[in-house]
Amino acid sequence: MTAERARITIFDTTLRDGEQSPGCTMNQQEKLRLAHQLDRLGVDVIEAGFPIASDGDFESVKAIASAVRRPIIAGLARACRPDIERAWEALKDAARPRIHVVLATSDIHLKYKLRITRDQCVQQAREAIRFAKSLCDDVEFSPEDATRTDPDFLCRVLDAVVDVGATTLNIPDTVGYTVPAEFGDLITTIRQKVKGIENVTISAHCHNDLGMAVANALAAVSAGARQVECTINGIGERAGNASLEEIVMAMRVRPDRFDYETGVVGEQIFAASQMLSEITGVPVQPNKAIIGRNAFAHEAGIHQDGMLKNPLTYEIMTPQSVGVPDSKLVLGKHSGRHALSIRCEQLGYQFDRRALDDIYRRFVRLADKIKHVEDHHLLELIRDTHKPSGSATPLIEPIAQAKAAAVNALSQVQDPEPLPEPTAPFPVGPQTNAFGAALPVGDSHEQTQQEDYLWGV
Ligand code: KIV
Ligand code: ZN
């Protein structure tokens, strides 16, 4: 009898860490649309945003929490009461809410950014998780810059947060500094040293500054992590996060090395990638693994010859397995509505009859002019047809609820509110930390420093 494969939780942070990357900002309606696609993709957790960062982000998290009911919906909060309260306010209507609390633990962050001691860090982490736990059962803790934190101190902080009820410990390689063997060893150390670790899920959150985010995340999984945090197209701060499609397909193509399963529906990967790039206007690099334009293209004669004889010669996965449209389906003026609607679906769009007729009329006019209508032409045409001010039929979201929520959401983003002023100072009082615990006397500088950091989002 074969042993059951371990299940890896896919935590998608496209809408939070991904959205933090330059050029990738999304409005509420766009976030909601992508959240529905992430749901179809089968991710387990959607990190929908950072509710205290802006009113817009707060409303987006709230809208996603009400409209997307299968996955866990997470919201990020720094380790202080105002952040956690705001996150909970946005999440509380979710079917499965999760508060994600972050606090830096490396000496470099404690000294220069937070200006607190190690003891204060442990106390702040403990109080933050205790408070989050009083609101929500599912609480994740991230020791920011974990890979540059003294491992003994890291384990001390993790001990404290497990003790007060954290259910997931996420280990971020915030600056993309670690390498696979080292990151695997860190996960092993945590598994050996942290008290009560057997009752919590260990997670990996890797950045790609040295191009090793996916390799590091996979090393963490091999060492016992059971959740990975990742983004569509690998977008995220600076060089990005570990790419969801690469992690999932590495497990699927190499079960001999990564014998794990995920709930991701491979055939929805391409549609998610296209939708994200269409929403943000940030194109996918042509040679990007799994979903780049050239990922399944064979140009060299020797490769084409091999492919024609047997695709196994040069293809380790089929384009269909990740939802890349069948390239044999060429769209031109002789194509019918059926082919057009299939290609639209493959690109992440579903239309009702009237909307399809509308698109089809424009498509035929275009095909008359340019012979072959490529995906990017079609996306442009769809975008054009559905300009909010135009007369076109609105895009039909596959899930009726999504449409209602999107309409709702739209009405709320017509007149964006100005950026909010901080409503509550941090820490709570001049001589206390975020939870009212006393700070050392004579450290008046500390409050201003922490305020700068806490409001600098
Ligand atoms: O990179 C990072 O440290 C983060 C945390 C909020 C998990 O994004
Ligand atoms: Zn990150």
Side-chain angles (χ1 to χ4, degrees):
M1 213 170 88
T2 50
E4 238 177 64
R5 306 174 80 198
R7 172 74 148 77
I8 305 302
T9 297
I10 298 294
F11 178 117
D12 181 279
T13 183
T14 307
L15 297 173
R16 199 278 300 166
D17 210 322
E19 206 225 356
Q20 284 172 217
S21 58
C24 289
T25 321
M26 292 171 244
N27 65 31
Q28 184 178 330
Q29 187 206 10
E30 292 164 339
K31 282 188 153 197
L32 198 54
R33 221 180 109 211
L34 197 57
H36 280 295
Q37 177 58 27
L38 293 172
D39 186 10
R40 287 191 283 278
L41 180 62
V43 307
D44 301 289
V45 187
I46 295 177
E47 186 163 49
F50 187 3
I52 202 151
S54 70
D55 284 355
D57 226 24
F58 174 85
E59 293 301 338
S60 297
V61 176
K62 205 168 162 49
I64 292 168
S66 327
V68 184
R69 308 300 288 176
R70 181 196 55 81
I72 293 172
I73 307 297
L76 185 66
R78 289 161 301 186
C80 62
R81 189 179 273 268
D83 272 45
I84 295 169
E85 278 171 344
R86 192 79 174 140
W88 179 240
E89 192 53 37
L91 290 167
K92 65 177 196 269
D93 295 330
R96 304 165 71 199
R98 173 181 295 183
I99 301 178
H100 178 190
V101 177
V102 59
L103 179 66
T105 50
S106 66
D107 285 336
I108 206 160
H109 279 238
L110 297 191
K111 182 168 176 203
Y112 295 106
K113 187 177 83 173
L114 299 177
R115 304 206 171 214
I116 57 174
T117 63
R118 285 186 173 189
D119 285 349
Q120 287 167 342
C121 173
V122 176
Q123 190 184 1
Q124 189 168 333
R126 181 186 278 281
E127 287 167 6
I129 296 303
R130 187 182 280 131
F131 179 55
K133 194 74 185 178
S134 73
L135 303 170
C136 182
D137 266 354
D138 188 344
V139 174
E140 171 168 328
F141 176 73
S142 287
E144 192 188 4
D145 204 17
T147 51
R148 293 191 302 166
T149 300
D150 165 27
D152 287 337
F153 178 62
L154 179 65
C155 290
R156 198 180 137 207
V157 178
L158 297 179
D159 271 345
V161 297
V162 171
D163 185 44
V164 289
T167 41
T168 298
L169 297 181
N170 178 45
I171 310 304
D173 182 27
T174 304
V175 290
Y177 176 73
T178 198
V179 298
E182 179 187 52
F183 197 48
D185 287 349
L186 180 62
I187 302 296
T188 303
T189 302
I190 290 168
R191 288 183 73 195
Q192 286 166 349
K193 296 204 171 151
V194 173
K195 285 192 245 26
I197 195 74
E198 57 289 352
N199 303 319
V200 303
T201 302
I202 302 175
S203 165
H205 175 110
C206 300
H207 279 271
N208 207 28
D209 299 67
L210 291 174
M212 283 187 271
V214 170
N216 288 335
L218 290 170
V221 168
S222 298
R226 288 294 172 264
Q227 173 179 288
V228 281
E229 302 200 352
C230 44
T231 58
I232 304 294
N233 298 346
I235 66 167
E237 286 275 8
R238 305 180 311 280
N241 286 70
S243 129
L244 179 146
E245 56 278 6
E246 293 176 26
I247 290 173
V248 168
M249 291 315 288
M251 290 176 187
R252 232 154 254 185
V253 172
R254 296 302 307 270
D256 55 324
R257 292 278 156 175
F258 306 110
D259 193 16
Y260 310 101
E261 62 179 23
T262 72
V264 168
V265 180
E267 293 75 10
Q268 290 291 336
I269 286 177
F270 185 71
S273 161
Q274 290 287 307
M275 187 185 284
L276 174 64
S277 135
E278 185 247 319
I279 285 174
T280 58
V282 176
V284 177
Q285 76 189 63
N287 61 327
K288 167 78 176 64
I290 318 293
I291 36 81
R293 181 163 23 94
N294 294 348
F296 294 96
H298 303 273
E299 167 100 27
I302 190 169
H303 286 207
Q304 288 180 341
D305 178 55
M307 281 295 293
L308 289 170
K309 287 174 174 149
N310 186 338
L312 287 176
T313 50
Y314 287 102
E315 219 166 61
I316 59 167
M317 64 195 127
T318 63
Q320 293 78 10
S321 67
V322 293
V324 169
D326 185 348
S327 53
K328 290 193 249 11
L329 194 79
V330 176
L331 286 180
K333 66 176 172 183
H334 302 297
S335 308
R337 280 178 180 70
H338 188 198
L340 178 68
S341 80
I342 288 178
R343 179 58 61 92
C344 288
E345 266 176 43
Q346 286 165 335
L347 294 171
Y349 293 87
Q350 287 186 333
F351 299 102
D352 68 8
R353 184 71 209 208
R354 272 190 50 212
L356 186 64
D357 282 350
D358 197 3
I359 296 275
Y360 184 70
R361 267 194 303 278
R362 289 158 192 253
F363 160 78
V364 172
R365 249 180 275 143
L366 182 67
D368 248 347
K369 287 191 200 128
I370 61 168
K371 291 203 175 129
H372 286 166
V373 180
E374 309 272 353
D375 289 347
H376 66 97
H377 296 129
L378 200 51
L379 284 169
E380 241 168 70
L381 195 141
I382 293 170
R383 230 186 341 260
D384 227 51
T385 313
H386 295 294
K387 273 198 185 122
S389 54
S391 57
T393 320
L395 177 73
I396 305 301
E397 283 287 350
I399 298 164
Q401 278 170 331
K403 192 179 161 198
V407 170
N408 213 344
L410 240 188
S411 67
Q412 290 172 26
V413 292
Q414 300 297 359
D415 269 318
E417 298 267 305
L419 282 181
E421 286 299 313
T423 49
F426 179 89
V428 169
Q431 301 300 328
T432 58
N433 73 7
F435 294 88
L439 286 169
V441 187
D443 212 352
S444 58
H445 191 52
E446 191 169 87
Q447 183 184 357
T448 342
Q449 293 295 335
Q450 278 233 345
E451 268 176 25
D452 285 352
Y453 160 63
L454 288 170
W455 293 110
V457 290

